[in-house]
């Protein structure tokens, strides 16, 4: 799920940094097929592990929220504001609650 979130970041946001991404929407849209497969597979694994959908959804949300600022900082140099930091803290709490 974490790796898929990284790929999704590049699929959706790399266009603000590199012209290649801005000029190849069709190829990036086709990339949605393997991304969808990876998300379907992670849902399957999550269902086998938890036996419920809510933990999978909340973990997916938390993983996305936690990976986004790291990649955004590394690629675009955007820092974390207080508001973003608090949101990240809440995402960590959500993930920990689902793992209990």
């Amino acid at each position: 799920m974490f790796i898929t979130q990284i790929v999704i970041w590049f699929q959706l946001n790399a266009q603000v940094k590199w012209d290649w991404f801005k000029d190849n929407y069709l190829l990036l849209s086709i990339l949605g097929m393997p991304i969808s497969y990876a998300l379907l597979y992670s849902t399957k694994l999550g269902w086998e592990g938890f036996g419920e959908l809510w933990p999978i959804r909340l973990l997916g949300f938390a993983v996305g929220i936690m990976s986004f600022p790291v990649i955004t900082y590394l690629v675009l140099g955007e820092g974390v504001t207080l508001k973003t930091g608090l949101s990240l803290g809440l995402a960590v709490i959500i993930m920990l609650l689902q793992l209990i």
Side-chain angles (χ1 to χ4, degrees):
M1 193 178 289
F2 183 73
I3 293 169
T4 305
Q5 291 291 342
I6 292 171
V7 174
I8 290 169
W9 189 98
F10 281 97
Q11 180 194 30
L12 299 177
N13 302 305
Q15 63 182 317
V16 301
K17 174 106 175 149
W18 298 291
D19 286 336
W20 185 91
F21 288 87
K22 191 184 310 180
D23 298 333
N24 289 286
Y25 276 19
L26 180 60
L27 290 174
L28 293 170
S29 297
I30 293 169
L31 182 60
M33 292 175 67
I35 290 171
S36 294
Y37 181 83
L39 291 172
L40 287 166
Y41 192 71
S42 67
T43 299
K44 176 187 175 207
L45 293 176
W47 178 262
E48 291 171 358
F50 292 109
E52 299 178 13
L53 284 179
W54 274 112
I56 303 162
R57 177 64 189 118
L58 293 171
L59 284 172
F61 165 76
V63 167
I65 291 296
M66 291 188 313
S67 63
F68 185 89
V70 173
I71 302 166
T72 303
Y73 174 75
L74 292 174
V75 175
L76 299 177
E78 289 185 25
V80 175
T81 64
L82 176 62
K83 182 170 63 171
T84 303
L86 290 172
S87 297
L88 292 172
L90 290 171
V92 169
I93 291 169
I94 288 170
M95 182 177 283
L96 292 174
L97 286 172
Q98 295 307 309
L99 297 173
I100 293 177

